[in-house]
Amino acid sequence: MMRQDLNDDDVSLFDAEEDAGRTSKKSKIEHPLASFFHLFFRVSAIIVYLVCERLSTFIAGMVTIILLLSCDFWTVKNITGRLMVGLRWWNQVDDDGKSHWVFESRKGPGKKLPSDSESRIFWLGLIVCPIIWVIFIFSALFSFSIKWLPIVIMGVVLQGANLYGYIRCKVGSRSNLKSMATSYFGRQFFKQAMAKQEES
């Protein structure tokens, strides 16, 4: 049986000790190779999906897409999240066979802050690509392309898992997504009410 545990304490990341003491450059991309590969595998899988029926056989396209999605999942989960935004997540099984989910974020004084450019690239790629795969699911259903359905579902699952894991890292262990959404929409409603009151 899988159990979901959250880390209440901040756990240092692999290179947190090296990063302490260095200052953050807000607009510079400090990890260009990680930024490139963060988007490369995601966008390549989408492009191959769009053009593979015209250029190759179904099997070759399917294998290529699955390889690209797998490389993307591993790269984003293990490398780009840690380097670009200071977040990482994983699952570990203890000696009793119980599964524990761990969500880490680099916080605290002396920790290096991610640059704004890298953060934007990371979150944009992390959010937009799963949305595109969801659109592909509806496209495959409505066009009766059932043979492509398992592939687009795999795209949603792999990229959605990374999105969920990193959102859990970003939100933190003490708050949940529902309370975050409620407070955001409450603030928006309050701002609109105040703007209407000022106009009248």
Side-chain angles (χ1 to χ4, degrees):
M1 175 179 282
M2 295 189 73
R3 192 177 79 182
Q4 193 166 18
D5 283 348
L6 294 176
N7 234 358
D8 285 337
D9 300 325
D10 289 333
V11 180
S12 65
L13 297 174
F14 297 159
D15 57 354
E17 293 78 23
E18 331 173 350
D19 289 340
R22 286 197 301 185
T23 58
S24 172
K25 295 176 184 162
K26 289 293 183 188
S27 62
K28 185 179 177 191
I29 295 179
E30 295 180 12
H31 305 97
L33 197 60
S35 300
F36 171 76
F37 281 109
H38 177 71
L39 296 175
F40 174 76
F41 292 123
R42 296 177 161 254
V43 173
S44 297
I46 291 170
I47 291 171
V48 169
Y49 175 78
L50 291 172
V51 299
C52 72
E53 272 204 27
R54 295 182 188 105
L55 300 179
S56 67
T57 64
F58 171 74
I59 299 297
M62 179 185 70
V63 169
T64 304
I65 292 169
I66 290 172
L67 285 173
L68 288 169
L69 287 172
S70 300
C71 290
D72 169 65
F73 180 80
W74 185 86
T75 303
V76 172
K77 183 181 171 301
N78 295 315
I79 298 172
T80 62
R82 180 176 59 87
L83 292 177
M84 295 173 73
V85 290
L87 304 172
R88 80 177 173 173
W89 64 274
W90 74 92
N91 179 287
Q92 67 187 40
V93 179
D94 62 12
D95 295 336
D96 298 332
K98 293 182 182 176
S99 179
H100 301 277
W101 291 93
V102 181
F103 302 95
E104 288 184 344
S105 67
R106 188 182 320 186
K107 293 180 184 173
K111 302 294 186 208
K112 181 183 171 199
L113 297 173
S115 75
D116 289 340
S117 302
E118 284 184 343
S119 183
R120 271 190 235 110
I121 291 169
F122 180 82
W123 289 107
L124 186 67
L126 200 67
I127 293 169
V128 170
C129 291
I131 292 171
I132 292 172
W133 285 106
V134 169
I135 292 169
F136 289 161
I137 285 180
F138 290 113
S139 172
L141 285 173
F142 292 133
S143 66
F144 299 107
S145 299
I146 304 302
K147 67 181 183 180
W148 289 105
L149 202 55
I151 295 168
V152 294
I153 288 173
M154 180 178 276
V156 170
V157 168
L158 289 175
Q159 293 189 356
N162 265 332
L163 177 62
Y164 176 76
Y166 282 115
I167 287 176
R168 291 294 299 264
C169 291
K170 182 76 172 166
V171 170
S173 60
R174 298 186 183 171
S175 56
N176 60 27
L177 297 177
K178 185 177 179 183
S179 66
M180 188 175 94
T182 304
S183 70
Y184 172 76
F185 288 120
R187 284 194 307 267
Q188 295 303 322
F189 179 74
F190 181 71
K191 285 180 186 177
Q192 288 179 352
M194 293 302 289
K196 287 181 182 179
Q197 187 178 16
E198 289 174 3
E199 289 175 3
S200 56

